Amino acid sequence: ANGRARVVSTWDFGVGANQAAWKVLGNGGSALDAVEAGARWAESELCNPTVGRCGNPDRDGVLSLDASIMNGDGSCGSVAALVDIAHPVSVARKVMEQTPHVMLVGEGAQQFAMQQGFKRGKLLTPEAEKAWREWLKTAQYTPEINAERRSRPGDSSNHDTLGMLAVDAQGQLAGACTTSGMAWKLHGRVGDSPIIGAGLYVDNEVGAATASGVGEEMIRNAASFLMVELMRQGRTPAQACREAIARVVRKRPEASKTLQVCFLALGRNGEVGAYALHRGFVYAVCDAERQDDLRDAASVY
Ligand code: SD4
């Protein structure tokens, strides 16, 4: 029943997120329910300084979360700059299903979440607050290239945004993306993850794509939409990721040397591709055959 089902995710913690999604997908559940479950796992089960309740705050010490969810039929929802609500991906799904809108931000998103029954509570962990106080000593915003992404046991620092794409047994596609954004960002900064077409795009006719890294580059290039459109024109997922990365480099060759951008794509037939600007991007693949596959992506540098 789950023969063609598959779920893929960014980074090494994508293995755990995939397994949470597989509990749904492997039992004949929908891709949409699967990616929500996988993203919720990353938001809460794991203490990850770039996702959910354990995320690092912005420059002013405020932890604000961005997330999106998209179904292969084109329905989608997202939240940006959401504060004090633990499961942004589920709020994004509510935006998709319970409102005529696609995106809610800031206070309005929080108000909506509370109306939908989500609990409000301070999320910033003592560890994240400590890291922020440490950062304040220099207060330089210089995002690091994450060159070594296979975390060591007990290491919680080595993590990033979760982008997840799935195809279910019925051939329906869905995706989700969840993040606390770039650590020490300006207050009010929104990244690519909640922007449909930048951090996530899904189309049942073609496939799905997602991204991690410095979100400004994804927004500039409408990266996830670009990957899906390249697949529509006949590129494989791997070719689409590679060509989209080439676009990022062409647009900003100098900046591309010092920032990380990572792309992941899934064809409607289940084929997977990935590519990054810099080495170190790993992605997790999970299907009926294997639930713990972690692969290295090729890169420009
Ligand atoms: C953002 N793309 O907010 C996210 C951050 C990220 O690995 O992916 N970090 O720009």
Side-chain angles (χ1 to χ4, degrees):
N2 55 29
R4 63 196 292 195
R6 188 167 236 206
V7 56
V8 300
S9 293
T10 53
W11 304 115
D12 54 357
F13 63 88
V15 172
N18 281 353
Q19 287 168 357
W22 188 253
K23 284 189 186 142
V24 177
L25 216 51
N27 287 311
S30 72
L32 186 67
D33 288 340
V35 296
E36 185 186 3
R40 285 180 66 93
W41 180 89
E43 286 169 353
S44 68
E45 294 299 318
L46 173 84
C47 230
N48 176 341
T50 312
V51 179
R53 68 187 168 86
C54 293
N56 281 327
D58 64 21
R59 176 177 94 148
D60 299 339
V62 179
L63 172 60
S64 76
L65 304 176
D66 293 345
S68 61
I69 191 161
M70 187 166 191
N71 211 1
D73 64 3
S75 43
C76 51
S78 75
V79 288
L82 179 63
V83 174
D84 291 343
I85 303 282
H87 282 298
V89 73
S90 294
V91 184
R93 183 164 177 179
K94 292 285 187 198
V95 173
M96 169 173 125
E97 291 176 342
Q98 307 293 335
T99 80
H101 309 306
V102 163
M103 189 171 194
L104 294 180
V105 306
E107 251 173 65
Q110 189 191 63
Q111 205 174 41
F112 169 74
M114 286 161 66
Q115 282 160 5
Q116 291 291 322
F118 292 82
K119 297 271 169 294
R120 201 174 91 172
K122 189 166 159 25
L123 299 180
L124 194 67
T125 61
E127 292 76 20
E129 187 169 346
K130 197 168 151 234
W132 172 64
R133 293 203 183 280
E134 200 50 42
W135 174 79
L136 275 180
K137 290 178 185 164
T138 52
Q140 296 292 325
Y141 180 74
T142 46
E144 280 169 33
I145 295 175
N146 25 40
E148 198 189 322
R149 302 311 306 178
R150 289 177 193 261
S151 9
R152 292 161 291 275
D155 172 14
S156 68
S157 69
N158 209 10
H159 289 301
D160 248 298
T161 293
L162 178 81
M164 173 177 272
L165 310 169
V167 56
D168 63 30
Q170 285 72 44
Q172 299 292 309
L173 294 163
C177 195
T178 185
T179 190
S180 51
M182 304 303 294
W184 336 129
K185 61 193 177 185
L186 278 179
H187 184 61
R189 179 266 190 189
V190 172
D192 59 312
S193 309
I195 298 180
I196 300 301
L200 178 69
Y201 200 72
V202 185
D203 186 338
N204 272 341
E205 287 182 1
V206 178
T210 190
S212 180
V214 178
E216 281 75 7
E217 305 312 307
M218 286 62 124
I219 298 172
R220 228 186 286 289
N221 291 284
S224 290
F225 182 71
L226 174 60
M227 287 182 269
V228 169
E229 291 311 298
L230 288 168
M231 289 192 280
R232 194 189 307 276
Q233 291 164 22
R235 303 321 186 270
T236 64
Q239 289 166 342
C241 291
R242 191 182 175 138
E243 209 169 314
I245 287 285
R247 182 83 61 93
V248 171
V249 175
R250 273 212 308 286
K251 198 141 283 177
R252 301 218 307 146
E254 276 312 304
S256 294
K257 290 178 189 161
T258 59
L259 54 83
Q260 178 63 305
V261 168
C262 311
F263 291 159
L264 178 63
L266 176 70
R268 62 186 289 258
N269 59 359
E271 193 182 343
V272 187
Y275 212 79
L277 259 180
H278 295 267
R279 60 178 292 277
F281 178 43
V282 294
Y283 60 103
V285 181
C286 169
D287 54 28
E289 227 155 79
R290 206 175 149 189
Q291 284 98 54
D292 62 353
D293 193 4
L294 186 63
R295 304 180 187 176
D296 288 286
S299 62
V300 177
Y301 298 108

